[in-house]
Amino acid sequence: MYNFDFEKPTSVADAVAALAGEDAQALGGGQTLIPTLKQRLASPSKLVSLAGIADIKGVCMSDDGQVCVGGATVHADVAANAGSYPALAALACNIGDPAVRARGTIGGSLANNDPSACYPSAALASGATIVTNAREIAADDYFQGMFATALDEGEIITEVRFPVPEAANYQKFEQPASRFALVGVFVARFADGVRVAVTGASEEGVFRWSAAEEALSGNFSADAVPAAPGADGMISDLHGTAAYRAHLIAVLTKRAVAACG
Amino acid sequence: MPKDHGIGASPKRREDVRFLTGTGNYTDDINVNGQAYVHFLRSDVAHGKINGIGTDVAAAMPGVVRIFTGADFEGVGGIPCGWQVTDRHGNPMQEPAHPVLAQGKVRHVGDPIAAVVADTYEQARDAAEAIELDIEELPAVVDMKAALAEGATKVHDDLENNLCYDWGFVEENKDAVDQAIKDAAHVTTLELVNNRLIANPMEPRVAIGDYNRATDDSTLYTTSQNPHVIRLLMGAFVLGIPEHKLRVIAPDVGGGFGTKIFHYAEEAFCTFAAKAINRPVKWTASRSEAFMSDAHGRDHVTKIELALDKDNNFTAVRTETYANMGAYLSTFAPSVPTWLHGTLMAGNYRTPVIYVNVKAVFTNTVPVDAYRGAGRPEATFQLERVIDKAARELGVDPIALRRQNFITEFPYATPVAVEYDTGDYHGTMDALEKIADLSGFEARRKESEAKGKLRGLGVNCYIEACGIAPSNLVGQLGARAGLYESATVRVNATGGLVVMTGSHSHGQGHETSFPQVIAEMIGIDESMVEIVHGDTANTPMGMGTYGSRSLAVGGSAMVRATEKIINKAKKIAAHLMEAAEADIELKDGQFSVAGTDKSVAWGDVTLAAYVPHNYPLEDIEPGLEETAFYDPANFTYPSGAYCCEVEVDPETGKVTIERFSAADDFGNIVNPMIVDGQVHGGIGQGIGQALLEGCVYDEDGQLLSASYMDYAMPRADDVPFYNVDHSSQTPCTHNPLGVKGCGEAGAIGSPPSVVNAVIDALQSGGHDVTHIDMPVSPSRVWAAMQG
Ligand SMILES: Cc1cc2nc3c(=O)[nH]c(=O)nc-3n(C[C@H](O)[C@H](O)[C@H](O)COP(=O)(O)OP(=O)(O)OC[C@H]3O[C@@H](n4cnc5c(N)ncnc54)[C@H](O)[C@@H]3O)c2cc1C
């Protein structure tokens, strides 16, 4: 690690101010950032921990029935307290291991937008709103490719608002080594249609599988899931070819639909 | 009733108290007053010419004590290789130099180029980044067959080519084997890869060099399985320090699995640098460094042919293997694909003629050496896979085909130069059939099918040569060291014993099992026996722990020394009781005179030895301490039969292990619980190799599986509960304990049954798949199913 300054503000305003400095970076649970620092792959001048800001931690229900998760809420908290959105709680419960879930945060996960991370699929399939210190961003506008998001420099995710679907399920097929998603599919059925978001598979990061959404919006059954999408643009690596990932998308979508009951 | 003490009992492991409560003393727990820290600047290219190393800026950075490069080691020896293989034509293998720090060229990602010693580790790392490297990248040689092609880039410019050796075994049998294959009624051929592995012991490697200018003594603390071997290799071949001026200490070691046998450059560096700067120097590998500097394992590409006559008797085996050596020869690397592999190609079977060809190849990758099983898993895997394939081709039951060809008479001299002393392969297979519940398989398969899964069952046998080994034999085979073991048994005045052994325990439980043997011999409580190991200053010269040799060889040395103790103690007892020595009996810690009620206790005799007031001083010396060196007459030959049941998810290709049964013959058993644990751990590693682990380089020699993000270690939920049975016991005939060794069995015996089971499952689902290379990952299974 290189040297850096460290601040732990107790309000979003102070955090935003602290982040204004050159090369300052927000620190969530550090589950991604700290290994990066240890490998000397990043050299922020200052880390601003969000863990001291009580306002952006915890899970609650909004008046309009959305599940609101504070940006600095750890996965374990979501697993335990997002019972009104069971598929979301189940997803959080299956991220990493207990140590990771005790520290890693939803804000960190969405800000990082790892192409194999789980939360991005939940946010995108749910049509969530990513709330920051500056604005509200619709999930459809938020994810902009591998490790790329709509966030500006120094912008902090303070809350994520999830509309609760009538039925939803997340199917994660684990990469054998990291146990991130080799492919993960989140299916959410709302009164006005079905949303299907796929993580782990595409070189463009999380995406909506629109062919499946259309088919399932008409007929929400596993049999209605279309044939696997093409392998073009899918990730190919040690753990699976593009064709395999494309194949898994269809398999997992069917399973998710079946699990929705 | 199970015994509660002595041989055959299962006392809990006494070392676990410190291991499980965080009170172990590992090398990284040791800090020597005034120590500096070293960080190695390692190559990030697989192959390159070093045009310049600019250290001026770095040397002026805060805390830097000194920066070393290859030039500092010009007058120093290179890292030696401990085994010389002679090729098919009678020529010695090609043996390249292996400098402590790279000289002229870098040859693999991770090759150390410079070493920065500084007051703190972070300062050393900071300064390493300021070193200006001028390295001209050269084409990398990664694929073994390409490495041998005409005109391939040479890893070592001063060698003729990238071929370390072309070994034929037994060369005189070659024609007979070719003929037998021509004459065969059926020949089954299989081409396969034995995947490259990274051992990943929980504790990464650590070394601390310390030098005492006043006495000119050097001390090395290191994570080693064999401190005396390191002292000999490093002292004699690298640094020129005689043994009496060099002490090597390997304290608690957090797992070795073979990769901590070898003498590594970092050990030599720390010892050398401590003297050069007159200050202790410490190095602790990061996990990332471990991935690119610990010797890797396996990495064979093999074609095997099995010939059978019309009655399905095996008539010949012919193999051709390419074995990756990596960029340099690690300590025992040349022996692994040859003597630890070719000699096992008979397996448990009466194949009359066998020919094994091995081409060992240099590539721009990390050196490859012994990893749990070392050569024997590679032999077992190809043989047991090809037998399974043959059974399918011939439409016969794979167990029946094996049974039909079992060796049944012992001793049995194989056509590959070893003589099995004992074994009962039918007995072990009987034991397996019982615990594996083979008759219930069809019902279980139906249950799986009802869930949409394909279920498969795979069986294999294994044989291993362990208790490594007779010094005169391994000497003929090219070993540059002996392979005896030693023990000093020191009895204290009040009766307690300390055993100083050359065997090293790094998780095996010697501190528990060795005392059981002595407790049995003398008839005292185990708690009276303490095991000391891991320090060349207070243990006799020993060769350390690998090749399942500790109890078979080290334990035998301890038995011999204890016998000497008992003989002497009997003389003392005879004197104390004024009886003839021949009439003295030792039982339950009491010496008695046969046929009388006269007795003296063990403690009375030991006290007399050290307070020799009433003592036969004219006949024997005071004191009670004996040393024995034991050199076995043969290897030991543990064997077994394993069965694996898997479920394959036909939609995703994911394999899960549903049942795993292991029947082993380890000869006599000292601590059944520890033996179970060794088998469990070994199978876990075997399942890791079969389903998960794969070390992969890209064509430029970059390590793709360079962290746990991409290198899949088995986790608890990847493995099932195991059924383990060791009731089939044919004691070894040539060591005093009748033991065979159990440390590697699980890792040797498990991969073929896993893969055999996957093939069985796929074929049961109508997929014409005859082989999938390990690791049998979901994506490979799915690809195989697509045809
Ligand atoms: C062993 C292991 C296993 C894992 N397995 C999984 C898995 O199965 N599935 C999965 O999805 N993830 C997995 N993860 C990743 C884990 O979920 C991390 O918690 C997550 O990726 C990052 O969250 P964090 O709070 O730790 O963020 P940090 O590491 O602290 O930060 C990550 C990035 O986000 C920024 N950041 C942090 N918080 C905010 C915020 N509120 N607003 C704006 N920017 C912010 C930081 O500046 C940094 O750039 C795993 C991690 C580990 C170590």
Side-chain angles (χ1 to χ4, degrees), chain B residues 26-176:
Chain B
Y26 295 92
T27 308
D28 192 50
D29 293 323
I30 294 169
N31 292 296
V32 185
N33 207 10
Q35 74 197 8
Y37 296 81
V38 59
H39 175 70
F40 292 95
L41 175 63
R42 297 178 183 277
S43 179
D44 58 8
V45 298
H47 196 190
K49 182 162 169 283
I50 304 175
N51 289 328
I53 307 174
T55 58
D56 292 350
V57 176
M61 288 188 45
V64 174
V65 180
R66 194 168 150 186
I67 299 176
F68 295 80
T69 65
D72 293 290
F73 287 83
E74 252 147 36
V76 177
I79 303 300
C81 178
W83 202 295
Q84 179 179 292
V85 165
T86 303
D87 77 6
R88 295 174 59 187
H89 314 293
N91 302 316
M93 65 188 188
Q94 294 203 80
E95 193 171 352
H98 184 181
V100 173
L101 296 176
Q103 291 173 350
K105 271 194 8 175
V106 289
R107 295 187 176 84
H108 66 84
V109 169
D111 207 358
I113 301 167
V116 183
V117 181
D119 291 336
T120 70
Y121 174 68
E122 290 292 331
Q123 287 171 334
R125 255 187 108 166
D126 286 345
E129 284 178 7
I131 292 176
E132 291 150 17
L133 284 182
D134 177 2
I135 291 186
E136 180 188 333
E137 206 173 333
L138 300 169
V141 182
V142 179
D143 178 76
M144 287 191 275
K145 290 180 184 168
L148 295 183
E150 198 69 37
T153 307
K154 287 199 275 185
V155 178
H156 295 275
D157 300 329
D158 52 337
L159 301 187
E160 230 170 88
N161 49 32
N162 293 319
L163 180 67
C164 177
Y165 54 73
D166 181 0
W167 185 74
F169 185 69
V170 174
E171 198 60 31
E172 295 74 51
N173 291 349
K174 185 172 186 308
D175 293 343

Side-chain angles (χ1 to χ4, degrees), chain B residues 126-395:
Chain B
D126 286 345
E129 284 178 7
I131 292 176
E132 291 150 17
L133 284 182
D134 177 2
I135 291 186
E136 180 188 333
E137 206 173 333
L138 300 169
V141 182
V142 179
D143 178 76
M144 287 191 275
K145 290 180 184 168
L148 295 183
E150 198 69 37
T153 307
K154 287 199 275 185
V155 178
H156 295 275
D157 300 329
D158 52 337
L159 301 187
E160 230 170 88
N161 49 32
N162 293 319
L163 180 67
C164 177
Y165 54 73
D166 181 0
W167 185 74
F169 185 69
V170 174
E171 198 60 31
E172 295 74 51
N173 291 349
K174 185 172 186 308
D175 293 343
V177 169
D178 292 347
Q179 192 59 47
I181 286 176
K182 260 193 215 125
D183 297 344
H186 184 87
V187 178
T188 297
T189 304
L190 182 60
E191 293 189 41
L192 55 85
V193 172
N194 202 290
N195 43 330
R196 187 180 181 114
L197 302 177
I198 304 178
N200 280 305
M202 204 178 285
E203 176 204 33
R205 287 188 298 118
V206 183
I208 309 169
D210 190 15
Y211 175 70
N212 184 332
R213 191 183 264 182
T215 60
D216 192 33
D217 287 331
S218 293
T219 303
L220 169 69
Y221 301 86
T222 184
T223 47
S224 175
Q225 301 176 214
N226 30 245
H228 287 92
V229 174
I230 303 305
R231 186 182 65 167
L232 183 66
L233 291 177
M234 184 177 78
F237 296 98
V238 191
L239 301 178
I241 309 173
E243 284 102 316
H244 62 284
K245 293 307 229 181
L246 177 58
R247 176 178 178 188
V248 177
I249 301 173
D252 284 334
V253 172
F257 310 115
T259 202
K260 289 178 182 164
I261 298 171
F262 323 120
H263 175 42
Y264 285 97
E266 295 88 352
E267 296 171 319
F269 176 83
C270 290
T271 311
F272 176 86
K275 183 172 179 180
I277 65 167
N278 192 33
R279 193 172 159 184
V281 175
K282 180 171 187 172
W283 171 69
T284 301
S286 67
R287 185 59 69 182
S288 308
E289 266 185 301
F291 270 85
M292 56 173 149
S293 69
D294 290 3
H296 294 174
R298 316 277 194 259
D299 204 352
H300 287 191
V301 174
T302 293
K303 177 180 173 189
I304 179 168
E305 294 157 286
L306 172 67
L308 302 95
D309 68 14
K310 62 177 185 359
D311 301 319
N312 297 341
N313 297 308
F314 301 165
T315 57
V317 166
R318 181 166 68 190
T319 76
E320 185 186 25
T321 287
Y322 293 80
N324 206 333
M325 295 285 103
Y328 303 100
L329 289 179
S330 175
T331 309
F332 289 121
S335 69
V336 175
T338 51
W339 301 106
L340 293 174
H341 162 253
T343 50
L344 275 304
M345 284 312 305
N348 309 52
Y349 312 102
R350 275 186 324 259
T351 313
V353 283
I354 295 171
Y355 180 70
V356 178
N357 175 248
V358 178
K359 296 176 184 73
V361 186
F362 295 113
T363 59
N364 291 115
T365 62
V366 171
V368 180
D369 205 330
Y371 166 68
R372 199 171 192 172
R376 291 150 290 169
E378 295 90 320
T380 305
F381 185 71
Q382 51 182 290
L383 188 61
E384 294 295 328
R385 283 285 302 121
V386 82
I387 292 172
D388 232 61
K389 190 169 180 229
R392 288 188 182 283
E393 288 173 356
L394 296 165

